[in-house]
């Protein structure tokens, strides 16, 4: 009986010792590793991206992607941020990786197209844009078979009305490529399609106005460019394009008022003078260059160079026929590069 009691007591002590050791072990063991707080990281990533803190946003999205490798939205946002940082090769890789998993990802297609356009690879850009728009139109038609036909321009194909899921930048980008191909009716139909959904879209208004400018329809060009500046008064590109319309109309003073919204007085007179010169209005160009020099006589060497150029052209008019002068003006136009970026998808 005594032995049984001792054994029982010993047993209870041993059990208690094991329990104490277990507790001590739990206290001394390292904490179990836990994953990142995904919700907090998402808020941090979105907030940093909106504020333009791209390196911070990129770090957060990379952590999120590491935690959830199959999340394509994180990968897409990484591509967007890389593009913002100017790391276009990394951005292209990210967007291509998205398309490998989801071939019909319209935002990734559109972003790839814009990057290729920025590189001057318009053929590759068109491939992505055509596919993105074709898929979007197919989706729209499947959801609602009623077709909205864009009327009023010859050769315009029917399009289905867009909705909030449509890649608007893709439609505008394809419009820009059509303008570059001198397919102005086709370009204008795409801009109008965007405006049907978003009548106040300043970038679409600017692009439509500039398309009419390229086509030589200055009345419509002025109408839509003025609407763009009214919708977004700080839209510098729209003011510049409106100034170009006034230059083409021979309204130098109105052109000056538009250009002054974008640049200092001396630069405005100089730039208007330059484009007036390209239009062949040499006396008016000379007057404007002189006003540019008067506005900044010490520092504005560019206007002085342009004044000498226009005076040389005027001299040529006395000794050469009009075809030779026109050839000189066209050569100057090509050398200037013109306003090849007067369309707008992003920025001002």
């Amino acid at each position: 009986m005594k032995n049984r009691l001792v054994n029982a007591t010993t047993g209870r002590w041993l059990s208690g010792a094991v329990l104490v050791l277990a507790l001590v072990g739990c206290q001394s063991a390292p904490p179990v590793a836990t994953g990142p707080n995904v919700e907090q990281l998402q808020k941090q990533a979105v907030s940093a991206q909106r504020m333009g803190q791209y390196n911070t946003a990129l770090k957060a999205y990379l952590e999120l992607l590491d935690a959830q490798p199959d999340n394509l939205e994180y990968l897409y946002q990484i591509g967007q941020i890389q593009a913002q940082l100017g790391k276009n090769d990394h951005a292209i890789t990210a967007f291509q990786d998205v398309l490998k998993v989801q071939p019909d990802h319209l935002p990734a297609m559109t972003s790839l197209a814009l990057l290729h356009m920025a590189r001057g690879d318009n053929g590759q850009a068109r491939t992505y844009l055509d596919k993105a728009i074709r898929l979007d139109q197919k989706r729209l038609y499947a959801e609602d078979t009623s077709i909205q036909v864009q009327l009023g321009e010859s050769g315009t194909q029917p399009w289905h009305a867009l909705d909030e899921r449509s890649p608007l930048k893709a439609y505008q980008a394809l419009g820009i490529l059509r303008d570059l191909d001198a397919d102005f009716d086709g370009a204008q139909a795409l801009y109008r399609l965007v405006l049907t959904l978003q009548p106040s879209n300043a970038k679409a208004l600017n692009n439509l106005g500039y398309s009419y400018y390229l086509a030589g329809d200055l009345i419509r060009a002025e109408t839509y460019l003025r609407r763009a500046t009214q919708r977004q008064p700080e839209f510098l590109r729209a003011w510049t394009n409106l100034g170009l319309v006034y230059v083409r109309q021979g309204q130098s003073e109105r052109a000056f008022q538009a250009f002054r919204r974008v640049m200092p007085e001396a630069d405005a007179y100089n730039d208007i003078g330059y484009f007036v010169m390209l239009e062949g209005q040499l006396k008016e160009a000379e007057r404007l260059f002189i006003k540019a020099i008067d506005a900044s006589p010490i520092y504005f060497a560019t206007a002085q160079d342009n004044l000498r150029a226009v005076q040389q052209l005027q001299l040529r008019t006395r000794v050469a026929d009009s075809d030779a002068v026109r050839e000189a003006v066209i050569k100057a136009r090509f050398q200037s590069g013109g306003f090849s970026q007067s369309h707008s998808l992003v920025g001002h």
Side-chain angles (χ1 to χ4, degrees), residues 83-336:
Q84 290 287 346
L85 291 171
K87 300 177 181 179
N88 291 347
D89 289 337
H90 294 313
I92 288 174
T93 298
F95 295 138
Q96 289 175 337
D97 287 344
V98 171
L99 293 177
K100 288 176 184 177
V101 180
Q102 187 177 329
D104 60 349
H105 195 286
L106 300 188
M109 274 185 229
T110 302
S111 296
L112 273 172
L114 298 183
L115 286 172
H116 283 293
M117 284 179 67
R119 290 182 165 186
D121 188 358
N122 292 342
Q124 188 64 51
R126 187 185 292 274
T127 298
Y128 285 116
L129 293 173
D130 284 338
K131 184 177 181 180
I133 290 174
R134 185 170 63 251
L135 288 172
D136 187 56
Q137 288 288 307
K138 182 179 179 180
R139 174 188 66 80
L140 291 165
Y141 186 79
E143 294 176 0
D144 181 358
T145 57
S146 62
I147 297 290
Q148 178 175 342
V149 180
Q150 301 298 305
L151 301 175
E153 303 292 347
S154 60
T156 300
Q157 69 182 87
W159 294 94
H160 197 290
L162 309 186
D163 65 13
E164 296 298 334
R165 294 167 56 192
S166 297
L168 301 188
K169 285 186 179 180
Y171 286 90
Q172 294 218 61
L174 186 59
I176 291 172
L177 293 182
R178 289 186 172 184
D179 270 333
L180 293 177
D181 291 337
D183 178 13
F184 304 124
D185 286 350
Q188 291 155 18
L190 291 169
Y191 302 141
R192 288 181 178 278
L193 198 58
V194 174
L195 289 169
T196 300
L197 178 66
Q198 295 183 349
S200 299
N201 188 312
K203 293 181 178 61
L205 289 168
N206 171 73
N207 290 343
L208 181 57
Y210 188 66
S211 181
Y212 279 123
Y213 168 79
L214 293 175
D217 189 341
L218 301 183
I219 293 176
R220 289 188 183 181
E222 180 183 358
T223 297
Y224 286 104
L225 290 170
R226 286 182 64 85
R227 283 177 58 187
T229 59
Q230 290 166 358
R231 297 296 184 185
Q232 190 174 327
E234 302 305 316
F235 195 172
L236 304 185
R237 190 167 296 175
W239 281 110
T240 300
N241 290 340
L242 184 59
L244 290 176
V245 171
Y246 291 143
V247 169
R248 185 75 64 84
Q249 291 175 334
Q251 302 183 55
S252 297
E253 185 54 36
R254 296 185 74 181
F256 173 75
Q257 295 302 325
F259 274 51
R260 279 291 284 121
R261 300 294 293 261
V262 180
M263 61 189 72
E265 179 181 356
D267 294 283
Y269 278 126
N270 176 74
D271 285 6
I272 296 169
Y274 186 74
F275 285 104
V276 165
M277 180 180 70
L278 297 184
E279 295 296 326
Q281 303 173 36
L282 303 184
K283 282 300 281 187
E284 178 64 6
E286 182 180 25
R287 183 185 73 83
L288 291 164
F289 289 141
I290 291 173
K291 290 183 75 69
I293 294 169
D294 289 341
S296 180
I298 298 176
Y299 301 106
F300 210 67
T302 302
Q304 294 173 339
D305 291 339
N306 287 335
L307 178 60
R308 284 191 290 271
V310 76
Q311 288 171 342
Q312 289 174 0
L313 282 173
Q314 285 180 312
L315 180 62
R316 291 184 63 175
T317 62
R318 301 188 184 102
V319 297
D321 58 26
S322 59
D323 289 339
V325 175
R326 178 173 177 78
E327 180 182 349
V329 170
I330 291 174
K331 182 179 180 181
R333 188 190 301 271
F334 275 112
Q335 289 174 341
S336 74

